[in-house]
Short mmCIF file of all heavy atoms in Angstrom, two decimals:
data_model
loop_
_atom_site.label_atom_id
_atom_site.label_comp_id
_atom_site.label_asym_id
_atom_site.label_seq_id
_atom_site.Cartn_x
_atom_site.Cartn_y
_atom_site.Cartn_z
N LEU L 330 12.52 -9.62 -5.46
CA LEU L 330 11.57 -10.02 -6.49
C LEU L 330 10.83 -8.77 -7.02
O LEU L 330 10.60 -8.66 -8.23
CB LEU L 330 10.59 -11.04 -5.91
CG LEU L 330 11.12 -12.41 -5.54
CD1 LEU L 330 10.05 -13.28 -4.90
CD2 LEU L 330 11.69 -13.14 -6.79
N VAL L 331 10.42 -7.91 -6.10
CA VAL L 331 9.70 -6.73 -6.55
C VAL L 331 10.59 -5.82 -7.40
O VAL L 331 10.17 -5.28 -8.44
CB VAL L 331 9.21 -5.93 -5.31
CG1 VAL L 331 8.62 -4.58 -5.70
CG2 VAL L 331 8.13 -6.73 -4.58
N TYR L 332 11.85 -5.71 -7.00
CA TYR L 332 12.80 -4.89 -7.75
C TYR L 332 12.95 -5.37 -9.18
O TYR L 332 12.87 -4.59 -10.16
CB TYR L 332 14.17 -4.94 -7.04
CG TYR L 332 15.26 -4.18 -7.83
CD1 TYR L 332 15.35 -2.82 -7.88
CD2 TYR L 332 16.23 -4.92 -8.52
CE1 TYR L 332 16.33 -2.13 -8.60
CE2 TYR L 332 17.22 -4.30 -9.26
CZ TYR L 332 17.27 -2.92 -9.29
OH TYR L 332 18.24 -2.28 -9.99
N VAL L 333 13.12 -6.65 -9.36
CA VAL L 333 13.27 -7.20 -10.70
C VAL L 333 12.02 -7.02 -11.51
O VAL L 333 12.06 -6.62 -12.67
CB VAL L 333 13.63 -8.73 -10.66
CG1 VAL L 333 13.65 -9.38 -12.02
CG2 VAL L 333 14.99 -8.91 -9.97
N GLY L 334 10.85 -7.29 -10.91
CA GLY L 334 9.56 -7.12 -11.61
C GLY L 334 9.33 -5.68 -11.98
O GLY L 334 8.87 -5.38 -13.11
N TYR L 335 9.68 -4.74 -11.10
CA TYR L 335 9.39 -3.33 -11.34
C TYR L 335 10.34 -2.83 -12.46
O TYR L 335 9.93 -1.91 -13.24
CB TYR L 335 9.65 -2.51 -10.07
CG TYR L 335 8.44 -2.47 -9.16
CD1 TYR L 335 7.29 -3.29 -9.41
CD2 TYR L 335 8.42 -1.61 -8.07
CE1 TYR L 335 6.20 -3.24 -8.61
CE2 TYR L 335 7.27 -1.56 -7.25
CZ TYR L 335 6.21 -2.37 -7.49
OH TYR L 335 5.11 -2.30 -6.69
N ILE L 336 11.57 -3.33 -12.57
CA ILE L 336 12.44 -2.90 -13.62
C ILE L 336 11.85 -3.28 -14.99
O ILE L 336 11.88 -2.49 -15.92
CB ILE L 336 13.84 -3.59 -13.45
CG1 ILE L 336 14.59 -2.96 -12.24
CG2 ILE L 336 14.63 -3.39 -14.74
CD1 ILE L 336 14.99 -1.53 -12.46
N MET L 337 11.31 -4.52 -15.06
CA MET L 337 10.71 -4.95 -16.32
C MET L 337 9.45 -4.16 -16.63
O MET L 337 9.21 -3.83 -17.80
CB MET L 337 10.44 -6.43 -16.26
CG MET L 337 11.67 -7.34 -16.21
SD MET L 337 11.30 -9.07 -16.37
CE MET L 337 10.46 -9.38 -14.81
N MET L 338 8.65 -3.88 -15.63
CA MET L 338 7.37 -3.17 -15.85
C MET L 338 7.59 -1.68 -16.16
O MET L 338 6.75 -1.07 -16.84
CB MET L 338 6.47 -3.28 -14.61
CG MET L 338 5.96 -4.65 -14.34
SD MET L 338 4.95 -4.66 -12.82
CE MET L 338 4.50 -6.40 -12.72
N SER L 339 8.71 -1.09 -15.69
CA SER L 339 8.91 0.30 -15.88
C SER L 339 9.87 0.56 -17.05
O SER L 339 9.47 1.00 -18.10
CB SER L 339 9.44 0.92 -14.58
OG SER L 339 10.60 0.23 -14.08
N ASN L 340 11.13 0.29 -16.81
CA ASN L 340 12.12 0.53 -17.91
C ASN L 340 11.87 -0.29 -19.11
O ASN L 340 12.00 0.18 -20.26
CB ASN L 340 13.55 0.23 -17.32
CG ASN L 340 14.12 1.40 -16.58
OD1 ASN L 340 13.43 2.31 -16.20
ND2 ASN L 340 15.45 1.35 -16.33
N GLY L 341 11.48 -1.55 -18.91
CA GLY L 341 11.24 -2.44 -20.07
C GLY L 341 10.17 -1.91 -20.96
O GLY L 341 10.32 -1.79 -22.21
N ILE L 342 9.01 -1.55 -20.42
CA ILE L 342 7.87 -1.07 -21.22
C ILE L 342 8.22 0.32 -21.80
O ILE L 342 7.91 0.61 -22.94
CB ILE L 342 6.59 -1.00 -20.34
CG1 ILE L 342 6.16 -2.42 -19.89
CG2 ILE L 342 5.47 -0.34 -21.11
CD1 ILE L 342 5.77 -3.31 -21.01
N ARG L 343 8.87 1.16 -21.03
CA ARG L 343 9.18 2.52 -21.46
C ARG L 343 10.10 2.41 -22.68
O ARG L 343 9.90 3.11 -23.71
CB ARG L 343 9.82 3.30 -20.35
CG ARG L 343 9.89 4.79 -20.62
CD ARG L 343 11.31 5.16 -21.05
NE ARG L 343 11.33 6.55 -21.57
CZ ARG L 343 12.13 7.48 -21.16
NH1 ARG L 343 13.00 7.23 -20.23
NH2 ARG L 343 12.16 8.63 -21.75
N VAL L 344 11.15 1.58 -22.63
CA VAL L 344 12.08 1.45 -23.73
C VAL L 344 11.40 0.81 -24.94
O VAL L 344 11.61 1.28 -26.09
CB VAL L 344 13.33 0.63 -23.31
CG1 VAL L 344 14.20 0.26 -24.51
CG2 VAL L 344 14.13 1.40 -22.28
N LEU L 345 10.58 -0.18 -24.73
CA LEU L 345 9.91 -0.89 -25.79
C LEU L 345 9.02 0.09 -26.58
O LEU L 345 8.96 -0.05 -27.85
CB LEU L 345 9.03 -1.99 -25.21
CG LEU L 345 8.33 -2.91 -26.16
CD1 LEU L 345 9.34 -3.70 -27.00
CD2 LEU L 345 7.43 -3.93 -25.38
N PHE L 346 8.38 1.02 -25.94
CA PHE L 346 7.45 1.93 -26.62
C PHE L 346 8.12 3.28 -26.98
O PHE L 346 7.45 4.16 -27.54
CB PHE L 346 6.25 2.20 -25.78
CG PHE L 346 5.16 1.15 -25.88
CD1 PHE L 346 5.17 0.04 -25.06
CD2 PHE L 346 4.20 1.23 -26.83
CE1 PHE L 346 4.20 -0.93 -25.12
CE2 PHE L 346 3.20 0.26 -26.94
CZ PHE L 346 3.20 -0.82 -26.09
N SER L 347 9.41 3.45 -26.71
CA SER L 347 10.05 4.75 -26.87
C SER L 347 9.96 5.32 -28.31
O SER L 347 9.80 6.54 -28.49
CB SER L 347 11.51 4.70 -26.42
OG SER L 347 12.22 3.73 -27.14
N PRO L 348 10.01 4.48 -29.34
CA PRO L 348 9.89 5.06 -30.70
C PRO L 348 8.48 5.59 -31.02
O PRO L 348 8.37 6.42 -31.95
CB PRO L 348 10.29 3.91 -31.63
CG PRO L 348 11.01 2.94 -30.78
CD PRO L 348 10.36 3.02 -29.42
N SER L 349 7.49 5.15 -30.31
CA SER L 349 6.13 5.48 -30.75
C SER L 349 5.23 6.08 -29.62
O SER L 349 4.14 6.52 -29.93
CB SER L 349 5.43 4.19 -31.28
OG SER L 349 5.38 3.21 -30.26
N HIS L 350 5.67 6.11 -28.39
CA HIS L 350 4.71 6.48 -27.34
C HIS L 350 5.50 7.18 -26.20
O HIS L 350 6.59 6.75 -25.85
CB HIS L 350 4.01 5.33 -26.78
CG HIS L 350 2.84 5.68 -25.93
ND1 HIS L 350 1.60 5.99 -26.42
CD2 HIS L 350 2.73 5.70 -24.57
CE1 HIS L 350 0.77 6.26 -25.44
NE2 HIS L 350 1.45 6.08 -24.26
N VAL L 351 4.92 8.20 -25.63
CA VAL L 351 5.39 8.86 -24.39
C VAL L 351 4.38 8.65 -23.32
O VAL L 351 3.21 8.94 -23.51
CB VAL L 351 5.65 10.35 -24.63
CG1 VAL L 351 6.07 11.03 -23.35
CG2 VAL L 351 6.69 10.56 -25.73
N PHE L 352 4.81 8.17 -22.15
CA PHE L 352 3.88 7.85 -21.07
C PHE L 352 3.65 9.07 -20.19
O PHE L 352 4.52 9.42 -19.35
CB PHE L 352 4.42 6.70 -20.23
CG PHE L 352 4.35 5.34 -20.94
CD1 PHE L 352 5.49 4.85 -21.54
CD2 PHE L 352 3.17 4.66 -20.99
CE1 PHE L 352 5.41 3.63 -22.26
CE2 PHE L 352 3.11 3.44 -21.64
CZ PHE L 352 4.20 2.91 -22.26
#
Side-chain angles (χ1 to χ4, degrees):
L330 292 175
V331 172
Y332 174 76
V333 174
Y335 276 9
I336 290 292
M337 293 188 291
M338 292 178 181
S339 54
N340 277 14
I342 296 295
R343 194 258 168 128
V344 170
L345 185 62
F346 277 91
S347 58
S349 60
H350 192 82
V351 175
F352 288 99

